[in-house]
Amino acid sequence: MAFHIRDAEADKLVRELAAQEGVGITEAVKIATKAKLEARRKDQFWKNLEAIQDRIAAYPNTGLKADEAFYDSLNDE
């Protein structure tokens, strides 16, 4: 399970993050990896949401107005 960082810049960045967070380099790698994965998940979420919005926007506008009384009756209002 060992990682060998052979890149000077990567080593410097991991050590800098570790110092800023007050943790060891292993924990710094975990922090950075989790942050990157979470950012990708959020990006994917917004892409998925955008696709849904595009599908909804593609429906034709009927020009009909919503019947407020009907919708209120569904909620017993």
Side-chain angles (χ1 to χ4, degrees):
M1 280 202 217
F3 284 96
H4 298 285
I5 298 175
R6 295 184 180 100
D7 181 82
E9 182 183 14
D11 181 70
K12 179 183 171 204
L13 292 169
V14 169
R15 290 180 188 278
E16 183 179 335
L17 179 61
Q20 288 178 4
E21 296 290 322
V23 297
I25 57 173
T26 300
E27 188 65 24
V29 169
K30 281 182 13 182
I31 290 168
T33 304
K34 284 180 181 180
K36 182 64 174 182
L37 289 172
E38 182 62 28
R40 285 197 176 171
R41 284 185 196 105
K42 286 181 181 178
D43 286 346
Q44 189 59 48
F45 170 81
W46 289 112
K47 285 178 185 175
N48 291 344
L49 186 59
E50 187 177 333
I52 293 168
Q53 289 173 329
D54 291 343
R55 275 189 13 220
I56 292 170
Y59 287 120
N61 186 353
T62 64
L64 300 174
K65 294 199 176 215
D67 182 352
E68 288 185 43
F70 170 73
Y71 286 109
D72 289 345
S73 72
L74 294 175
N75 294 312
D76 295 326
E77 292 181 6

